[in-house]
Amino acid sequence: DGGITQSPKYLFRKEGQNVTLSCEQNLNHDAMYWYRQDPGQGLRLIYYSQIVNDFQKGDIAEGYSVSREKKESFPLTVTSAQKNPTAFYLCASAGQGSWKTQYFGPGTRLLVL
Amino acid sequence: AQSVSQHNHHVILSEAASLELGCNYSYGGTVNLFWYVQYPGQHLQLLLKYFSGDPLVKGIKGFEAEFIKSKFSFNLRKPSVQWSDTAEYFCAVTSSGGSYIPTFGRGTSLIVHP
């Protein structure tokens, strides 16, 4: 059953703590993306990767970091430098080409304690 | 840089009413256009997309969208909505000359009353 999985579904972060959100895909897609979804603001791009071992900053990369060591995996770390981390985080993947559809995971909701 | 504007942030309709959600983009070159839908508690998923050919595109669940290049628009339509169409709808654009990174609109929340 192909698709994208994200874990955990809910994540709680304490002040000053780094947390990592998992994203795995078995669609054999080259490109992977992380978005942040806030009410009324749509999807804002945090980071993206078009190939293993390479990634680029999106529009709101400050306070976040990523890695892409394997084609299937694109974890996102929310660092303590991110001052407003409470949001819904979506991971997506796509094949190469501007006409390619993005496939999204179920999302992780991050809450700050 | 490309941008996407969705004019209607919240739409409330009764069942059987007709729907049109506006989407305008700013980019002068060749574009690919998408509508994604997020039903309550479900993954964001593709509704329909345009990349070439017939500018009238038909998608799932009776939705369609028309690409009007002269107006930089890709409005989503459905002649008769159902309660199950209650969802958030996002318009997105990619450009062939760019890095294939989609730009999303802010989304439109649609509520359909039974």
Side-chain angles (χ1 to χ4, degrees):
Chain A
D1 189 14
I4 300 180
T5 56
Q6 290 185 243
S7 62
K9 189 172 181 179
Y10 296 96
L11 186 58
F12 298 92
R13 193 191 92 164
K14 295 180 182 178
E15 293 287 343
Q17 188 180 40
N18 293 354
V19 291
T20 297
L21 284 59
S22 167
C23 177
E24 304 276 332
Q25 55 101 358
N26 61 4
L27 300 167
N28 199 33
H29 285 162
D30 289 310
M32 296 188 74
Y33 311 79
W34 274 106
Y35 293 94
R36 172 176 169 144
Q37 187 178 12
D38 296 282
Q41 297 198 52
L43 275 66
R44 292 184 291 168
L45 184 65
I46 304 172
Y47 268 98
Y48 65 96
S49 167
Q50 294 187 307
I51 197 167
V52 174
N53 292 322
D54 185 55
F55 49 82
Q56 305 295 328
K57 291 182 179 180
D59 301 318
I60 56 166
E62 186 175 348
Y64 300 97
S65 65
V66 293
S67 63
R68 186 86 188 276
E69 297 175 1
K70 298 187 298 181
K71 189 175 186 177
E72 303 79 20
S73 178
F74 191 42
L76 173 75
T77 296
V78 184
T79 74
S80 57
Q82 172 48 243
K83 297 306 178 189
N84 186 22
T86 297
F88 191 55
Y89 291 87
L90 284 170
C91 179
S93 72
Q96 289 291 359
S98 61
W99 62 91
K100 295 292 187 179
T101 300
Q102 284 190 310
Y103 292 83
F104 288 84
T108 293
R109 189 164 297 279
L110 176 61
L111 299 164
V112 177
L113 296 176
Chain B
Q2 62 203 24
S3 66
V4 177
S5 177
Q6 290 184 243
H7 317 295
N8 319 100
H9 298 300
H10 300 279
V11 175
I12 301 174
L13 295 172
S14 299
E15 274 194 318
S18 64
L19 171 72
E20 181 160 2
L21 301 182
C23 173
N24 286 90
Y25 65 93
S26 65
Y27 183 74
T30 302
V31 293
N32 304 284
L33 296 153
F34 305 79
W35 275 98
Y36 288 89
V37 61
Q38 189 174 32
Y39 297 105
Q42 294 189 28
H43 297 206
L44 203 69
Q45 60 185 286
L46 182 72
L47 200 55
L48 48 79
K49 68 179 179 181
Y50 169 83
F51 57 94
S52 67
D54 189 344
L56 184 62
V57 180
K58 296 195 183 295
I60 60 172
K61 303 188 179 184
F63 285 90
E64 64 178 30
E66 186 175 12
F67 171 46
I68 304 179
K69 191 174 182 180
S70 61
K71 294 185 178 180
F72 298 90
S73 71
F74 191 55
N75 291 355
L76 181 70
R77 301 193 294 245
K78 186 171 183 178
S80 176
V81 294
Q82 300 173 312
W83 174 78
S84 59
D85 292 324
T86 295
E88 190 143 15
Y89 294 81
F90 294 92
C91 182
V93 62
T94 61
S95 54
S96 299
S99 58
Y100 309 156
I101 306 304
T103 299
F104 283 82
R106 290 192 167 193
T108 297
S109 175
L110 172 65
I111 296 175
V112 180
H113 287 299

